[in-house]
Amino acid sequence: MSNYLYILWIPLLPLATFVVLGLFGRKYFAKSAGIISTASLLTSTILSFVAAKQYFFVDGKVNGIYQKIIALKYTWLQFSPNVSIDMGVIVDPISVMMLIVVTSVSLMVHVFSLGYMKGEERFATYYAFLSLFTFSMLGLILSVNIFQVYMFWELVGVSSFLLIGYYFNKPSAVAASKKAFIVTRFADLGFLIGIMIMGFYGGTLDIGLLIEKLTSAQSPEFLSITSASFLGASMLTWGLTLIFMGGAGKSAMFPLHIWLPDAMEGPTPVSALIHAATMVVAGVYLVARLFPIFSMDEAALTIVTYVGAFSALLAAIIACTQTDIKRVLAYSTMSQIGYMMFALGISKNGGEAGLGYMASMFHLFTHAFFKSLLFLGAGAVIHMVHSNEMKDMGGLRKLMPITHVAFLIACLAIAGIPPFAGFFSKEEILTAAFDHAHNDALDHGEGTWTMKLPLIILAACAVGVGFIPFSQFITSDGAALETHIDMIFSIAPVSLSIIAILLSASFYKNQNTKSDKAVALFGGFYRAAYKKFYVDELYLFITKKIVFPLIGQPIAWADRNIVDGFVMLIANTTAKISTAIKGLQSGKVQNYALYFFGGVIALSVLFIYIWK
């Protein structure tokens, strides 16, 4: 087996870039920060492709099965002989695939930002934050220990907070960054509790050992976690559901999705990075990483299935009513992530029953390219017209030919039109679902070449990556899976997509009143969808009318009057005592002499006349 230690450089290079640009960027690298960061990530991307070639085509497969290789592992904190927090690097099909996705899309975002963010006062800071984000996600996907995953998970949250709130002088951006951070913290609390449950009953935090112990129906750990219950559900169900809660928060699944549209307050390239290859797919990756354990618990998989399906439908409906192009794409992302979660939920582990797992990872792979293309294309248009509103974006085909073609390709890919990439991965999801049911101001031009080049590359990927024989590389059990596209089966979904495209074209190709009539037709349902079904208002009601007055205010009163009062009582008492006795330390020698001889006389009287 070859040495994979060089993979360690893939996350360490962005980390080094973050440190250098974070400490010295604004002073020494104000203009060159983008080139430095892009060159660093280009190196990481090349190393990722080298690792993929070596793993998939040289020595990753043994006896027809792709192996899990621990390239590095050392104990950081030891809690007991069996439980420790280890830091390490895992090399297996999904981690290698994610290396390609994260580094490739992040590189395109870095290149695009060279033109898009040019002239920003905090240009170096922006690239420092991008590097931290990329490092955090790379660290997450390479983790060998579930607590190591959690640490990088939190770093991803910090990075998103910094990037979403990059324009810190805008109150809306500050509010959006705080909202994303706070909502995902609640979700991550569930994740942490889930980790504790799995670690307690599994007797380890090592992902490989945890899977080994909790997928053997006869192991004492599996019998222990399935026999213990709370409120009618086994502790295995609770542990997996709480871990999924963390994934649902990061991946913006209902009802923890409310941070996602507001996250559009960050720079548009950041939106591409968050929505295509990093933060929102972290939840899908987490479920996929622990999928052998999830497959042992039908209840947890059912929750994943229904949350994914409902989130996909809800987001698609809301997206149809939004007018801000970035918010439309944000809800589109939520819908696509819902597809991926749904595919995982209907899958089993191993063989043809694991088609849903393979389809989910395939769609994660293809989606990364066409969704980042959509966001960067939107960024190019916003850069041109100085507006996020789609009503301001008509008639740009001749002015922005490259963006026009690239955006069209991405739209056809996400709509599942053959032969674009999204068609192949979506068809696999639909096939898996079918099998499961059956068996169970225009002054910028089009932008700089650094903005056009990523669009061209991603457009090529949106066309070509669907032809990759994905099932030969990524499956639930590491063995190759033979799949094929049933063109008869594909007629219905593709026809529906084409009808929807033509209907949309008839609405918006020329100015008319069809959309207004549709709005009037749907009436209250449209208004509810436009208001995102009032989920935000519900959260505000719960927090402002229930949590704050009934929980927050009593705790605040107790903090001020009991906790602070007790501390202040001690402080005031100490101050009064010190005031009373401070005269003893006057600094006058004659007073000290008087106290000394007075003490001598008192002791003499005590021992001579009282204690004879």
Side-chain angles (χ1 to χ4, degrees), residues 138 431 523 568:
L138 290 170
T431 301
M568 293 305 297

Side-chain angles (χ1 to χ4, degrees), residues 197-489:
I197 292 173
M198 303 301 282
F200 176 79
Y201 286 98
T204 181
L205 294 173
D206 181 272
I207 294 174
L209 287 176
L210 198 63
I211 291 174
E212 181 181 332
K213 291 180 177 182
L214 296 182
T215 54
S216 173
Q218 302 304 316
S219 71
E221 291 83 6
F222 182 80
L223 295 174
S224 174
I225 198 171
T226 52
S227 59
S229 64
F230 177 69
L231 297 178
S234 73
M235 294 312 294
L236 179 61
T237 300
W238 277 108
L240 292 175
T241 301
L242 288 167
I243 287 175
F244 174 65
M245 177 181 172
K250 276 285 189 291
S251 291
M253 295 288 94
F254 177 85
L256 299 168
H257 65 284
I258 59 171
W259 65 268
L260 190 69
D262 291 13
M264 298 301 98
E265 292 292 338
T268 301
V270 168
S271 303
L273 192 59
I274 290 176
H275 286 256
T278 53
M279 187 168 176
V280 295
V281 298
V284 180
Y285 176 81
L286 178 64
V287 176
R289 171 57 69 202
L290 298 176
F291 187 75
I293 304 177
F294 272 91
S295 68
M296 301 295 290
D297 190 271
E298 190 66 32
L301 275 184
T302 300
I303 292 171
V304 174
T305 302
Y306 282 101
V307 170
F310 183 76
S311 298
L313 178 61
L314 178 73
I317 293 172
I318 295 175
C320 293
T321 66
Q322 302 302 297
T323 58
D324 182 317
I325 189 170
K326 291 173 67 176
R327 288 178 182 266
V328 172
L329 294 178
Y331 280 111
S332 166
T333 298
M334 177 181 166
S335 184
Q336 298 300 308
I337 299 297
Y339 279 129
M340 300 175 204
M341 288 292 193
F342 170 74
L344 286 172
I346 61 174
S347 183
K348 303 296 182 184
N349 191 42
E352 292 186 2
L355 178 62
Y357 176 95
M358 186 283 297
S360 176
M361 295 296 97
F362 192 14
H363 196 56
L364 187 156
F365 182 72
T366 61
H367 173 264
F369 297 103
F370 58 71
K371 181 50 63 69
S372 55
L373 177 56
L374 284 168
F375 269 106
L376 294 184
V381 174
I382 293 169
H383 189 70
M384 166 75 87
V385 303
H386 304 291
S387 172
N388 287 21
E389 291 295 318
M390 290 190 291
K391 64 181 177 61
D392 301 324
M393 297 178 180
L396 298 175
R397 178 172 59 86
K398 294 181 180 179
L399 295 174
M400 308 180 72
I402 293 176
T403 305
H404 165 72
V405 173
F407 207 93
L408 178 61
I409 289 172
C411 288
L412 293 173
I414 198 172
I417 303 299
F420 302 98
F423 164 75
F424 297 96
S425 54
K426 280 191 172 184
E427 286 303 302
E428 296 291 6
I429 292 178
L430 292 174
T431 301
F434 178 80
D435 290 345
H436 177 81
H438 185 65
N439 302 317
D440 203 355
L442 313 177
D443 58 349
H444 287 287
E446 195 172 4
T448 64
W449 69 268
T450 58
M451 294 172 64
K452 295 175 186 175
L453 181 62
L455 298 181
I456 295 170
I457 294 173
L458 289 171
C461 291
V463 174
V465 296
F467 292 97
I468 294 174
F470 198 83
S471 62
Q472 298 296 307
F473 305 109
I474 314 290
T475 59
S476 60
D477 58 359
L481 179 63
E482 293 298 329
T483 62
H484 68 282
I485 299 295
D486 187 339
M487 299 309 296
I488 301 298
F489 178 81

Side-chain angles (χ1 to χ4, degrees), residues 121-137:
E121 181 183 356
R122 300 168 64 235
F123 187 70
T125 303
Y126 169 80
Y127 271 99
F129 291 166
L130 280 187
S131 297
L132 177 62
F133 204 131
T134 306
F135 160 72
S136 303
M137 191 64 193

Side-chain angles (χ1 to χ4, degrees), residues 7 45 72 102 135 152 262 276 279 331 341 439 497 508 534 559 563-564 584 588:
I7 286 180
T45 306
L72 174 69
V102 173
F135 160 72
F152 282 104
D262 291 13
M279 187 168 176
Y331 280 111
M341 288 292 193
N439 302 317
S497 295
Y508 300 109
Y534 303 99
D559 182 60
V563 179
D564 289 354
L584 297 176
K588 297 178 180 180

Side-chain angles (χ1 to χ4, degrees), residues 8-27:
L8 197 59
W9 286 106
I10 297 174
L12 287 183
L13 285 171
L15 175 62
T17 305
F18 162 70
V19 172
V20 172
L21 295 183
L23 294 176
F24 311 110
R26 296 189 69 178
K27 185 174 182 180

